[in-house]
Amino acid sequence: MLEREIGSEFEPVSDAFIGRPTSPPWVHDSEPAYLSAGRQALTAVARKLAADGWTSLYMPLHHCRTMAVPFERCGMRIEYVDVDESMIMSAGALESTIDRLGVAPVLHSETFGARTPPALEKILNSIEQSGTPVIADETHSILQSRPSSFTYRIASLRKLLPLPDGAYVFGLDYMQPDREQGGLSEVVGLRLTAAEQKAAYLRGDRNDKAFLDIYARAENILDEFSDILPMSRQSEVLLASLDYESLSRRRESNATYLAAGLDDISSIRIVNREAVTTAPPYLVVSSDRVLELRTHLTAQGVYCPIHWPPPKESELRRRWKSPVLSMPIDHRYNHRDMQRIIDLIVEFERGRRVSR
Ligand SMILES: Cc1ncc(COP(=O)(O)O)c(C=O)c1O
């Protein structure tokens, strides 16, 4: 029997994860503005920083291009700060950047679900106390329910929840954009269609993978789009009905199982081990042959993204750490799927021992 494919974009969420309406874990004492995509939330913050006269920004070296573009478009100069082994901005590197260049706003990313390490938090707090804004990108930590005092908080919701669009921004007196406009309807329509087609493919009701092109078309439109739009009504309805506790429990259970299985493989290092019990977005691993491992998994229908590919600039490429692989552990999967990933990695490791 062919095994079902694992990973890649979300198909529609199953009823098992629809619950009684609850407040989402990122809402504590105030409501955010809900926008269509994470880049729009970052654009809203970047415009505010530029309007307030800020001209430069510090952000982690390990980042996705989409996070930098909104600030570049506002004419800000970006200084990339080195990261530690878990890919979080290093406190020491931030301190020496400040010593060299002075204080500037910081975009801090809770990449791979990491909690902000105390030493980094201390520096970020003192930056804020000096009147300089700190922005937290919570895209990878949206299910961790804990208050945060950073000046601005943003997240892309559409990346790690089964939504056609969605993002939030806290901290701006940003008018809630006109909801009647209803999101970027072309992108929302394409992503809903693609998700349905993917579900039909996984059920065996379709043979073609046309959904891949449809997802890509939606991303292309979003890449070209620079306006800020509200999240769609479709996502608003879904957000109000998702069972966040069940989503978190499933992620933690899968990540724990997968991490335990990979611990026996000496060539694999778990990059976000600390996040395993706090609803991580993926289980992220490094190894000396990540790219070959990825090819092996892809050939067996297990799709693991690389977050993120190195940028084009040679200076940043030189400082970039080796690639890491993000293993899917979300609500769509169970221990059987995790065991399959473990078995495939063991098979890969055996193969390479034989070929040495
Ligand atoms: C950490 C992080 N922040 C922001 C974004 C931008 O989100 P969106 O693609 O919804 O614009 C992404 C997208 O990949 C991301 O990974």
Coordinates of all heavy atoms in Angstrom, one line a residue, residues 86 110-115 140-141 143-144 245 247-263 268-285 327 329-330 335 338:
S86 N 20.4 27.6 18.3 CA 18.9 27.3 18.1 C 18.3 28.3 17.1 O 17.1 28.4 17.0 CB 18.2 27.3 19.4 OG 18.3 28.5 20.1
E110 N 10.8 34.6 17.3 CA 10.8 33.4 18.1 C 10.9 32.1 17.2 O 10.0 31.3 17.2 CB 9.6 33.4 19.0 CG 9.7 34.6 20.0 CD 8.5 34.7 20.9 OE1 7.4 34.2 20.6 OE2 8.7 35.2 22.0
T111 N 11.9 32.1 16.4 CA 12.0 31.1 15.3 C 12.0 29.7 15.9 O 12.6 29.4 16.9 CB 13.4 31.3 14.6 OG1 13.4 32.7 14.2 CG2 13.6 30.4 13.4
F112 N 11.2 28.8 15.2 CA 11.0 27.4 15.6 C 10.4 27.2 17.0 O 10.6 26.2 17.6 CB 12.4 26.6 15.5 CG 13.0 26.8 14.1 CD1 14.4 26.9 14.0 CD2 12.2 26.7 13.0 CE1 15.0 27.0 12.7 CE2 12.8 26.9 11.7 CZ 14.2 27.0 11.6
G113 N 9.7 28.3 17.5 CA 9.0 28.1 18.7 C 9.8 28.4 20.0 O 9.4 28.0 21.1
A114 N 11.0 28.9 19.8 CA 11.9 29.1 21.0 C 11.3 30.2 21.9 O 10.7 31.2 21.4 CB 13.3 29.6 20.5
R115 N 11.5 30.0 23.2 CA 11.2 31.0 24.1 C 12.4 32.0 24.1 O 13.5 31.6 23.8 CB 11.1 30.5 25.5 CG 9.8 29.8 25.8 CD 9.8 29.1 27.2 NE 8.7 28.2 27.3 CZ 7.5 28.6 27.7 NH1 7.3 29.9 28.0 NH2 6.5 27.8 27.7
H140 N 6.2 31.5 14.7 CA 6.5 30.1 15.0 C 6.0 29.8 16.5 O 6.3 28.7 16.9 CB 8.0 29.8 14.9 CG 8.4 29.7 13.4 ND1 9.7 29.4 13.1 CD2 7.7 29.8 12.3 CE1 9.7 29.3 11.7 NE2 8.5 29.6 11.3
S141 N 5.5 30.8 17.2 CA 5.2 30.5 18.6 C 3.7 30.9 18.9 O 3.4 31.1 20.1 CB 6.1 31.2 19.5 OG 6.1 32.6 19.2
L143 N 1.0 29.3 19.3 CA 0.2 28.5 20.2 C 0.6 28.6 21.6 O 0.0 28.0 22.5 CB 0.1 27.1 19.7 CG -0.7 26.9 18.4 CD1 -0.7 25.5 17.9 CD2 -2.1 27.4 18.5
Q144 N 1.8 29.2 21.9 CA 2.2 29.3 23.2 C 1.5 30.5 23.9 O 1.7 31.6 23.6 CB 3.7 29.7 23.3 CG 4.6 28.6 22.8 CD 6.1 29.0 22.8 OE1 6.4 30.0 23.4 NE2 6.9 28.3 22.1
E245 N -6.4 24.1 22.0 CA -5.7 23.2 22.9 C -5.5 21.8 22.2 O -4.4 21.3 22.4 CB -6.7 22.9 24.1 CG -6.4 23.9 25.2 CD -7.1 23.6 26.5 OE1 -7.2 22.4 26.8 OE2 -7.7 24.5 27.0
L247 N -5.0 21.4 19.1 CA -3.9 21.6 18.1 C -2.6 21.5 18.8 O -1.6 20.9 18.3 CB -4.1 23.0 17.4 CG -5.3 23.1 16.4 CD1 -5.4 24.6 16.0 CD2 -5.1 22.3 15.2
S248 N -2.5 22.2 19.9 CA -1.2 22.2 20.7 C -0.9 20.8 21.2 O 0.3 20.4 21.0 CB -1.3 23.1 21.9 OG -1.6 24.4 21.5
R249 N -1.8 20.1 21.7 CA -1.5 18.8 22.3 C -1.0 17.9 21.2 O -0.1 17.1 21.4 CB -2.8 18.2 22.9 CG -3.0 18.6 24.4 CD -3.9 17.6 25.1 NE -5.1 17.4 24.4 CZ -6.2 18.2 24.6 NH1 -6.1 19.2 25.5 NH2 -7.3 18.0 24.0
R250 N -1.6 18.0 20.0 CA -1.2 17.1 19.0 C 0.2 17.4 18.5 O 1.0 16.5 18.3 CB -2.2 17.2 17.8 CG -1.8 16.3 16.6 CD -1.9 14.8 17.0 NE -3.3 14.3 17.1 CZ -4.0 13.9 16.1 NH1 -3.5 13.8 14.9 NH2 -5.3 13.5 16.3
R251 N 0.5 18.7 18.4 CA 1.9 19.1 18.0 C 2.9 18.6 19.0 O 4.0 18.1 18.7 CB 2.0 20.6 17.9 CG 1.3 21.1 16.7 CD 1.9 22.5 16.5 NE 1.1 23.4 15.6 CZ 1.4 24.6 15.4 NH1 2.4 25.2 16.0 NH2 0.7 25.3 14.5
E252 N 2.6 18.8 20.3 CA 3.5 18.4 21.4 C 3.7 16.9 21.4 O 4.8 16.4 21.5 CB 3.0 18.9 22.7 CG 3.2 20.4 22.9 CD 2.3 21.0 24.0 OE1 1.8 20.3 24.8 OE2 2.2 22.2 24.0
S253 N 2.6 16.1 21.3 CA 2.7 14.7 21.3 C 3.5 14.2 20.1 O 4.4 13.3 20.3 CB 1.3 14.2 21.3 OG 1.3 12.8 21.1
N254 N 3.3 14.7 18.9 CA 4.0 14.3 17.8 C 5.5 14.6 17.9 O 6.4 13.8 17.6 CB 3.5 14.9 16.5 CG 2.2 14.2 16.0 OD1 1.9 13.1 16.4 ND2 1.4 14.9 15.2
A255 N 5.8 15.9 18.3 CA 7.2 16.3 18.4 C 7.9 15.5 19.4 O 9.1 15.2 19.2 CB 7.2 17.8 18.7
T256 N 7.3 15.2 20.6 CA 7.9 14.4 21.6 C 8.3 13.0 21.1 O 9.4 12.5 21.3 CB 7.0 14.3 22.9 OG1 6.7 15.6 23.2 CG2 7.7 13.6 24.0
Y257 N 7.3 12.4 20.4 CA 7.5 11.1 19.9 C 8.7 11.1 18.8 O 9.6 10.2 18.9 CB 6.2 10.6 19.2 CG 6.3 9.2 18.7 CD1 5.7 8.2 19.5 CD2 6.9 8.8 17.5 CE1 5.8 6.8 19.2 CE2 6.9 7.5 17.1 CZ 6.4 6.5 18.0 OH 6.4 5.2 17.6
L258 N 8.6 12.0 17.9 CA 9.6 12.1 16.9 C 11.0 12.4 17.5 O 12.0 11.7 17.1 CB 9.3 13.2 15.9 CG 10.1 13.4 14.6 CD1 10.3 12.1 13.9 CD2 9.5 14.4 13.7
A259 N 11.1 13.3 18.4 CA 12.4 13.7 19.1 C 13.0 12.4 19.8 O 14.2 12.2 19.7 CB 12.2 14.8 20.1
A260 N 12.1 11.7 20.4 CA 12.6 10.5 21.2 C 13.2 9.5 20.1 O 14.2 8.9 20.4 CB 11.5 9.8 22.0
G261 N 12.5 9.3 19.0 CA 13.0 8.4 18.0 C 14.3 8.8 17.4 O 15.2 8.0 17.0
L262 N 14.4 10.2 17.2 CA 15.7 10.7 16.5 C 16.8 10.8 17.5 O 18.0 10.8 17.1 CB 15.4 12.0 15.9 CG 14.3 12.0 14.8 CD1 14.1 13.4 14.2 CD2 14.6 11.0 13.7
D263 N 16.6 10.7 18.8 CA 17.6 10.8 19.8 C 18.6 9.7 19.6 O 19.8 9.8 20.0 CB 17.1 10.8 21.2 CG 16.8 12.3 21.6 OD1 17.4 13.2 21.0 OD2 16.0 12.4 22.6
I268 N 22.1 13.1 14.0 CA 21.0 14.1 14.0 C 21.0 15.0 15.3 O 21.1 14.4 16.4 CB 19.6 13.4 13.9 CG1 19.5 12.6 12.6 CG2 18.5 14.4 14.1 CD1 19.1 13.4 11.4
R269 N 20.9 16.3 15.1 CA 20.8 17.2 16.2 C 19.5 17.9 16.2 O 19.1 18.4 15.1 CB 22.0 18.3 16.2 CG 21.9 19.2 17.4 CD 23.0 20.2 17.4 NE 22.9 21.2 16.4 CZ 22.2 22.4 16.6 NH1 21.6 22.6 17.7 NH2 22.2 23.3 15.6
I270 N 18.8 17.9 17.3 CA 17.5 18.6 17.3 C 17.7 20.1 17.7 O 18.2 20.4 18.7 CB 16.5 17.9 18.3 CG1 16.2 16.5 17.7 CG2 15.2 18.7 18.4 CD1 15.5 15.6 18.6
V271 N 17.3 20.9 16.7 CA 17.6 22.4 16.8 C 16.7 23.0 17.9 O 17.1 23.9 18.6 CB 17.5 23.0 15.5 CG1 17.7 24.6 15.5 CG2 18.5 22.4 14.5
N272 N 15.4 22.6 17.8 CA 14.5 23.3 18.7 C 14.0 22.4 19.8 O 12.8 22.4 20.1 CB 13.3 23.9 17.9 CG 12.5 22.9 17.2 OD1 12.9 21.7 17.0 ND2 11.3 23.2 16.8
R273 N 14.9 21.7 20.5 CA 14.5 20.7 21.5 C 13.7 21.4 22.6 O 12.7 20.9 23.1 CB 15.7 20.1 22.1 CG 15.4 19.1 23.2 CD 16.6 18.4 23.7 NE 17.3 17.7 22.7 CZ 17.0 16.4 22.3 NH1 16.0 15.8 22.8 NH2 17.7 15.8 21.4
E274 N 14.1 22.6 23.0 CA 13.4 23.4 24.1 C 11.9 23.6 23.8 O 11.1 23.7 24.7 CB 14.0 24.8 24.2 CG 15.5 24.8 24.5 CD 15.8 24.6 26.0 OE1 15.3 25.5 26.7 OE2 16.5 23.6 26.4
A275 N 11.6 23.6 22.5 CA 10.2 24.0 22.1 C 9.3 22.7 22.0 O 8.1 22.9 21.7 CB 10.2 24.7 20.8
V276 N 9.9 21.5 22.2 CA 9.1 20.3 21.9 C 7.8 20.2 22.7 O 6.8 19.8 22.2 CB 10.0 19.1 22.2 CG1 9.2 17.8 22.3 CG2 11.0 18.9 21.1
T277 N 7.8 20.8 23.9 CA 6.7 20.7 24.8 C 5.8 22.0 24.8 O 5.0 22.2 25.7 CB 7.1 20.3 26.2 OG1 8.1 21.2 26.6 CG2 7.6 18.9 26.3
T278 N 6.1 22.9 23.9 CA 5.4 24.1 23.8 C 4.8 24.3 22.4 O 5.0 25.4 21.8 CB 6.2 25.3 24.3 OG1 7.4 25.3 23.6 CG2 6.5 25.3 25.8
A279 N 4.1 23.3 21.9 CA 3.4 23.4 20.6 C 4.3 24.0 19.5 O 4.0 25.0 18.9 CB 2.1 24.2 20.8
P280 N 5.4 23.3 19.2 CA 6.3 23.9 18.2 C 5.7 23.8 16.8 O 4.7 23.0 16.6 CB 7.5 22.9 18.3 CG 6.9 21.6 18.7 CD 5.8 22.0 19.7
P281 N 6.2 24.6 15.9 CA 5.6 24.6 14.5 C 6.1 23.3 13.8 O 5.4 22.8 13.0 CB 6.2 25.8 13.9 CG 7.4 26.1 14.7 CD 7.2 25.6 16.0
Y282 N 7.3 22.9 14.0 CA 7.9 21.7 13.4 C 8.9 21.2 14.4 O 9.3 21.8 15.4 CB 8.8 22.1 12.1 CG 8.1 23.0 11.1 CD1 8.2 24.4 11.2 CD2 7.4 22.4 10.1 CE1 7.5 25.2 10.2 CE2 6.7 23.2 9.2 CZ 6.8 24.6 9.2 OH 6.2 25.3 8.3
L283 N 9.4 20.0 14.1 CA 10.6 19.5 14.8 C 11.8 19.8 13.8 O 11.8 19.3 12.7 CB 10.6 18.0 15.2 CG 11.7 17.7 16.1 CD1 11.4 18.1 17.5 CD2 12.0 16.2 16.1
V284 N 12.7 20.6 14.3 CA 13.8 21.1 13.3 C 15.1 20.3 13.6 O 15.5 20.3 14.8 CB 13.9 22.6 13.5 CG1 14.9 23.1 12.4 CG2 12.6 23.3 13.2
V285 N 15.7 19.8 12.6 CA 16.9 19.0 12.8 C 18.1 19.5 12.0 O 17.9 20.1 10.9 CB 16.7 17.5 12.6 CG1 15.6 16.9 13.4 CG2 16.5 17.2 11.1
M327 N 10.6 19.2 10.2 CA 9.8 18.0 10.0 C 8.4 18.3 10.5 O 8.2 18.9 11.6 CB 10.3 16.9 10.9 CG 11.8 16.7 10.9 SD 12.2 15.2 10.1 CE 13.8 15.5 9.5
I329 N 5.0 18.1 12.1 CA 4.5 17.4 13.3 C 3.1 18.0 13.7 O 2.6 17.8 14.8 CB 5.4 17.6 14.5 CG1 5.8 19.1 14.7 CG2 6.7 16.8 14.4 CD1 5.0 19.9 15.6
D330 N 2.4 18.6 12.7 CA 1.2 19.3 13.1 C 0.0 18.4 13.2 O 0.1 17.2 13.1 CB 0.9 20.5 12.1 CG 0.8 20.0 10.6 OD1 -0.3 19.3 10.4 OD2 1.7 20.2 9.8
H335 N 1.3 9.4 15.6 CA 2.5 8.7 16.0 C 2.9 7.8 14.8 O 4.1 7.6 14.6 CB 2.4 8.0 17.3 CG 2.4 8.9 18.5 ND1 2.3 8.5 19.7 CD2 2.4 10.3 18.5 CE1 2.3 9.5 20.6 NE2 2.3 10.6 19.8
M338 N 4.8 9.7 12.5 CA 6.1 10.1 13.1 C 7.1 8.9 13.0 O 8.3 9.0 12.7 CB 6.0 10.5 14.6 CG 5.1 11.8 14.8 SD 5.8 13.3 13.9 CE 4.6 13.4 12.6

